[in-house]
Amino acid sequence: MADLRSNFVGIKSPNPFWLASAPPTDKEVNVRRAFQAGWGGVVWKTLGSEGPPVVNVNGPRYGVVYGADRRVLGINNIELITDRPLEVNLREIKSVKRDYPDRALIISLMVPCDEESWKAILKQIEDTGADGVELNFGCPHGMAERGMGSAVGQVPEYIEMVTRWVKQYSRMPCIVKLTPNITDVRKPAEAAKRGGADAVSLINTVNSITSVDLDLFAPQPTIDGKGSHGGYCGPAVKPIALNMVAEIARNSATAGLPISGIGGVTTWRDAAEFMALGAGNVQVCTAAMTYGFKVVQEMISGLREFLDEKQISMSDLIGRATPNVTDWQYLNLNYTTKAQIDQDLCIKCGRCYAACEDTSHQAIAMGPGRVFEVKDDECVACNLCVDVCPVENCITMRELAVGEMDARTGRPVQPYANWTTHPNNPMSRAAE
Ligand SMILES: Cc1cc2nc3c(=O)[nH]c(=O)nc-3n(C[C@H](O)[C@H](O)[C@H](O)COP(=O)(O)O)c2cc1C
């Protein structure tokens, strides 16, 4: 059976599944129950230093986007960092770590951007016996307005400076948590590396307004008639997170910098995808908030079975897809596919026809008896018919072999060519 033991920047855990810093890791009782359920590690809900008190709203903190079956697709929150006293958190961390020495216990931190504040809190964290710190440069609401969280994460120079202080005043591994609310995520990751970070973790939540109450004319969640933007997370943000993880993994300036993947991980498959793109482990919040701590059991057994089936180890999986992420101009423009419809599976709904006829390439014909057929001479292989078809595997894409006639172009499929060398690229002709 595949070995799921993980060693992330020297922090050992029995599996690569950690709970992300958030309500599930807010206090001792939660974290103990999480460990009993099988989580390999937790990142404790972000601690701040003494200072202006952290006061949360007393109205709803969350806005939700549902799928058609009321499944939670995304959660938007306006919660702040922990509002529990620092000394209580520190005492609880110490007690949990003592009883669970084999689990990873990382402490998320957000303190004002001055050297003394960081120096002071790091000493207190070290005394708890925790395994490492995660710097919260990501939360987009509430604390950012006080010059912390994403206000730091959006300025690479600040990231580098604070990371340097953390490495100077502590021996603990330091993970820098990045905000997605930035144009090019490679810049803050590079800054973290320059500052001496042991790893980066991403993503924190995405700036968002999930919906507007059309009676109150105010964003939801609504607090006494007003709303503010919040941070979006859950399955809906996974595509954004995967791309950002891949961007960092394949950037030569951050090559080898370990990545903890976060954002919408709900199943073992999500975790495997993050790992294949270069994440050394994953962190989870929304899935635990939606389904409870035991979701980790499915993640553990699913990942183990997957690795066994593929006959690869976890380290073989990590980064295995990274070399296959490339820039558009390197895609093979001679690779040719055509849609094909399985008439036995077709339920004659006509969605493929409507989508293709109205918005794509008029490449599906509707014959007598609502028989739908692909017109190979019009099909550009955009995949929209596959995407809108309600029956899985009813419409699939068939790859044409090199040399096979493409009815659309009237020419046989040619061997590999990318845009850089493609005859239609004026730059490549100029280079000839
Ligand atoms: C209610 C709530 C509170 C959160 N609080 C924190 C926090 O204190 N510190 C932090 O770094 N991230 C915080 N996060 C962000 C999560 O750690 C995580 O980065 C994000 O939710 C994406 O993961 P997910 O899609 O699995 O939820 C919070 C998320 C939620 C939903």
Side-chain angles (χ1 to χ4, degrees):
M1 270 213 310
D3 185 356
L4 293 193
R5 278 177 302 173
S6 159
N7 183 343
F8 187 78
V9 298
I11 304 170
K12 296 199 172 114
S13 54
N15 61 58
F17 302 107
W18 293 2
L19 280 171
S21 172
T25 65
D26 186 36
K27 53 174 117 54
E28 180 168 359
V29 59
N30 290 3
V31 174
R32 283 183 182 274
R33 293 188 65 245
F35 283 158
Q36 280 156 22
W39 289 90
V42 308
V43 183
W44 200 275
K45 169 81 183 169
T46 306
L47 309 183
S49 50
E50 303 302 354
V54 173
V55 182
N56 272 298
V57 294
N58 284 304
R61 296 179 188 189
Y62 308 131
V64 172
V65 172
Y66 293 110
D69 55 1
R70 211 178 145 85
R71 196 173 301 181
V72 172
L73 298 183
I75 297 186
N76 169 67
N77 85 87
I78 55 169
E79 180 177 285
L80 303 177
I81 63 172
T82 186
D83 51 15
R84 305 170 69 238
L86 180 62
E87 63 280 5
V88 173
N89 278 297
L90 294 172
R91 200 173 53 236
E92 292 183 358
I93 291 164
K94 201 170 190 171
S95 145
V96 175
K97 185 65 209 176
R98 196 185 47 227
D99 291 350
Y100 288 91
D102 66 324
R103 309 301 169 95
L105 187 44
I106 318 303
I107 312 305
S108 171
L109 296 176
M110 183 195 286
V111 302
C113 217
D114 66 74
E115 198 169 344
E116 284 313 309
S117 301
W118 282 97
K119 189 175 171 183
I121 196 149
L122 286 165
K123 170 82 186 71
Q124 290 172 292
I125 301 299
E126 245 165 27
D127 291 345
T128 64
D131 298 298
V133 289
E134 184 180 79
L135 315 188
N136 178 351
F137 296 153
C139 277
H141 48 264
M143 308 311 284
E145 291 84 340
R146 301 183 197 179
M148 295 184 260
S150 63
V152 178
Q154 287 164 340
V155 185
E157 292 76 16
Y158 291 171
I159 295 180
E160 182 177 345
M161 177 178 76
V162 176
T163 309
R164 229 179 262 290
W165 292 337
V166 171
K167 289 310 290 179
Q168 185 181 343
Y169 294 119
S170 150
R171 292 183 315 274
M172 289 179 289
C174 165
I175 303 168
V176 172
K177 185 168 181 181
L178 302 178
T179 174
N181 302 312
I182 188 154
T183 316
D184 183 351
V185 78
R186 290 172 301 181
K187 301 297 169 208
E190 288 169 16
K193 189 173 183 198
R194 280 197 303 275
D198 297 280
V200 288
S201 57
L202 67 153
I203 57 174
N204 208 311
T205 52
V206 182
N207 278 338
S208 62
I209 291 177
T210 35
S211 54
V212 175
D213 185 316
L214 289 179
D215 293 317
L216 298 172
F217 291 103
Q220 289 172 316
T222 312
I223 306 295
D224 194 21
K226 302 248 186 277
S228 81
H229 79 273
Y232 200 42
C233 55
V237 307
K238 188 184 113 183
I240 300 168
L242 283 179
N243 176 54
M244 290 188 161
V245 165
E247 285 292 282
I248 294 171
R250 70 194 187 95
N251 175 13
S252 58
T254 45
L257 181 66
I259 301 170
S260 184
I262 318 171
V265 175
T266 311
T267 65
W268 68 266
R269 189 176 281 277
D270 300 323
E273 291 174 22
F274 271 94
M275 294 173 101
L277 284 176
N281 73 2
V282 292
Q283 297 184 29
V284 177
C285 166
T286 302
M289 288 178 69
T290 312
Y291 303 111
F293 286 143
K294 286 189 179 152
V295 284
V296 73
Q297 289 170 5
E298 182 274 341
M299 293 181 191
I300 292 170
S301 58
L303 184 62
R304 194 172 271 145
E305 269 173 43
F306 169 73
L307 295 175
D308 285 345
E309 213 169 274
K310 290 266 179 226
Q311 299 197 322
I312 57 173
S313 68
M314 208 161 63
S315 58
D316 294 333
L317 170 65
I318 296 168
R320 203 170 174 106
T322 315
N324 292 331
V325 184
T326 186
D327 292 333
W328 191 94
Q329 73 263 31
Y330 302 118
L331 298 178
N332 180 3
L333 297 185
N334 285 338
Y335 172 80
T336 308
T337 57
K338 297 285 173 194
Q340 56 182 10
I341 301 172
D342 183 332
Q343 299 299 340
D344 292 337
L345 291 178
C346 179
I347 56 168
K348 304 192 187 307
C349 68
R351 281 171 65 177
C352 59
Y353 174 75
C356 189
E357 193 67 12
D358 290 355
T359 67
S360 290
H361 299 272
Q362 299 75 48
I364 294 180
M366 177 163 64
R370 293 178 71 82
V371 174
F372 297 96
E373 309 243 33
V374 176
K375 297 185 236 168
D376 277 1
D377 54 342
E378 300 290 351
C379 178
V380 301
C382 72
N383 212 55
L384 184 64
C385 54
V386 177
D387 298 333
V388 300
C389 177
V391 181
E392 207 176 347
N393 292 327
C394 173
I395 310 181
T396 49
M397 302 305 285
R398 181 178 79 84
E399 182 183 344
L400 271 54
V402 171
E404 195 172 339
M405 187 58 73
D406 178 350
R408 191 176 68 83
T409 60
R411 287 192 303 272
V413 174
Q414 298 297 304
Y416 183 86
N418 62 38
W419 179 242
T420 317
T421 55
H422 198 274
N424 288 350
N425 180 351
M427 299 303 287
S428 80
R429 276 211 297 274
E432 277 163 13

